[in-house]
Amino acid sequence: MGEFELIRRHFQRAAGGPSVVLGIGDDCALLQPSPGHQLAISSDMLVEGRHFFPDVNPQALGHKALAVNLSDLAAMGARPLGFTLALALPQADDAWLRGFSDGLLALADAHACPLVGGDTTRGPLNLCITVFGEVLPGRALRRDAARPGDDLYLSGRTGEARLALEQQRGTPWALTAMPDDGCRERLERPTPRLALGRALAGLDGWEGRAPAAIDLSDGLAGDLGHILRASGVGAEIRLADLPVAPPLRGLPEAQRLECLLHGGDDYELLFTAPPSARGAIAAAGTASQAPVQRIGVITPQTGLRLIRANGETEALIATGFDHFT
Ligand code: ADP
Ligand code: MG
């Protein structure tokens, strides 16, 4: 199977989408955003041995590679238009490619985000996806939009993916918890919160601004740090208000907090909005079928603090995973 046969067999589909003027097969794809919209663009690279294990199920890998990119569009409040795939493969393994493209394109179909182009080369397994989306001017969910007094919200819950990862690694404390298919599913097949992101971006502006938001890839505390630094504010998280998934409840406290606050791979949305927006936020959560919880507050004092159930406060380090430290 040559390069072009590989692309035709596994990645080329007849249907584009309403925004695709020209898809796979020419020198460039042509996308037509809706009138008056801005483009939202994001890339994520997945490298074998760093982001996934060599023996990962190819279908799950295809799903996750696109899911993490769609999660960035969700965190910006953008609607997907399409994506490109740059792929380095050690060999053209037909069964592997079939699984990979099945997982990838099923998620693409579910979110009307067609594959419109890419590049294919031989090399150590490595994939890079670039997603294109659209959002109305002034409505994007930017990290610099948080203000003191805003409520801090979390969609869904954190920590399950990290627990599953530690179980796969054989970490002793993680093995004290029962293996849970729900956790593995969270790690291998994350669900991007696109409907919630768009609902938040579509809310009628209050005080003339959209919510601030970020998607959680490197842990709640570390990713919140990006909002805090971009906005020049601080935050308090109320531990009692953080949702805890059943498999995490039996963990020793230090490890439970590690999963909840520094877990990574959650792909939930963390966002802020003024108290006057509480009703609208709850309605956005219901409309997009996303559980949404108020977990804290944005403060004028910089830094990140954790408030325990007994009222005690401790400083949290608001930095996440860093590939170079
Ligand atoms: P060029 O040499 O002009 O860069 P290529 O020969 O690399 O073009 O690719 C031919 C066509 O196939 C292009 O439209 C490109 O976007 C598409 N393509 C290549 N690899 C992929 C892939 N992995 N997934 C989707 N489309 C791809
Ligand atoms: Mg090329």
Side-chain angles (χ1 to χ4, degrees):
M1 176 172 55
E3 178 184 331
F4 298 104
E5 171 61 11
L6 183 159
I7 296 165
R8 195 196 57 73
R9 195 182 298 181
H10 294 292
F11 297 113
Q12 203 156 7
R13 295 283 157 93
S19 312
V20 180
V21 179
L22 188 62
I24 293 174
D26 213 312
D27 296 310
C28 289
L30 297 174
L31 298 180
Q32 180 64 62
S34 309
H37 283 62
Q38 294 173 336
L39 282 178
I41 303 168
S42 178
S43 289
D44 262 296
M45 185 154 65
L46 277 85
V47 177
E48 183 182 89
R50 180 144 287 273
H51 300 99
F52 57 88
F53 298 109
D55 60 349
V56 66
N57 173 320
Q59 201 178 355
L61 181 64
H63 175 99
K64 187 161 179 176
L66 181 58
V68 302
N69 279 278
L70 289 174
S71 181
D72 284 318
L73 288 184
M76 217 60 185
R79 181 178 81 90
L81 297 174
F83 73 103
T84 60
L85 167 69
L87 193 58
L89 294 168
Q91 70 268 321
D93 176 338
D94 210 43
W96 191 94
L97 278 161
R98 181 160 313 282
F100 176 78
S101 78
D102 279 354
L104 180 82
L105 298 179
L107 186 67
D109 288 346
H111 293 287
C113 183
L115 176 59
V116 297
D119 200 24
T120 307
T121 175
R122 191 186 287 271
L125 185 56
N126 181 333
L127 27 130
C128 182
I129 285 179
T130 300
V131 281
F132 299 85
E134 65 178 19
V135 63
L136 279 168
R139 301 312 310 163
L141 309 174
R142 297 168 52 135
R143 296 178 181 184
D144 61 4
R147 297 291 176 268
D150 278 3
D151 293 313
L152 179 65
Y153 292 87
L154 173 70
S155 72
R157 54 199 188 190
T158 56
E160 285 151 285
R162 175 64 178 278
L163 177 58
L165 179 68
E166 298 296 346
Q167 289 183 331
Q168 280 187 13
R169 286 176 171 157
T171 307
W173 62 259
L175 298 177
T176 64
M178 289 288 287
D180 185 294
D181 282 350
C183 292
R184 258 195 60 193
E185 187 77 3
R186 289 294 306 263
L187 176 65
E188 293 185 350
R189 303 180 58 84
T191 305
R193 295 282 190 189
L194 281 157
L196 177 61
R198 287 186 66 197
L200 294 176
L203 293 179
D204 247 354
W206 52 81
E207 304 165 20
R209 63 189 172 101
I214 190 168
D215 69 314
L216 298 183
S217 52
D218 297 333
L220 197 170
D223 285 327
L224 175 53
H226 294 299
I227 289 186
L228 302 185
R229 284 185 292 274
S231 300
V233 296
E236 289 173 2
I237 295 175
R238 296 180 301 264
L239 185 54
D241 291 338
L242 273 188
V244 183
L248 273 71
R249 289 183 194 150
L251 292 176
E253 174 170 57
Q255 280 81 32
R256 188 169 65 247
L257 287 185
E258 175 68 20
C259 288
L260 290 176
L261 296 169
H262 307 286
D265 269 339
D266 296 306
Y267 299 103
E268 293 294 350
L269 294 187
L270 186 70
F271 56 99
T272 82
S276 60
R278 282 180 192 169
I281 298 288
T286 305
S288 55
Q289 298 184 313
V292 163
Q293 172 91 5
R294 245 182 320 125
I295 62 164
V297 65
I298 299 296
T299 61
Q301 184 196 350
T302 56
L304 176 56
R305 291 160 299 279
L306 182 71
I307 315 287
R308 290 182 176 270
N310 62 8
E312 276 173 25
T313 300
E314 70 187 69
L316 278 180
I317 298 177
T319 52
F321 181 77
D322 183 327
H323 285 281
F324 293 101
T325 54

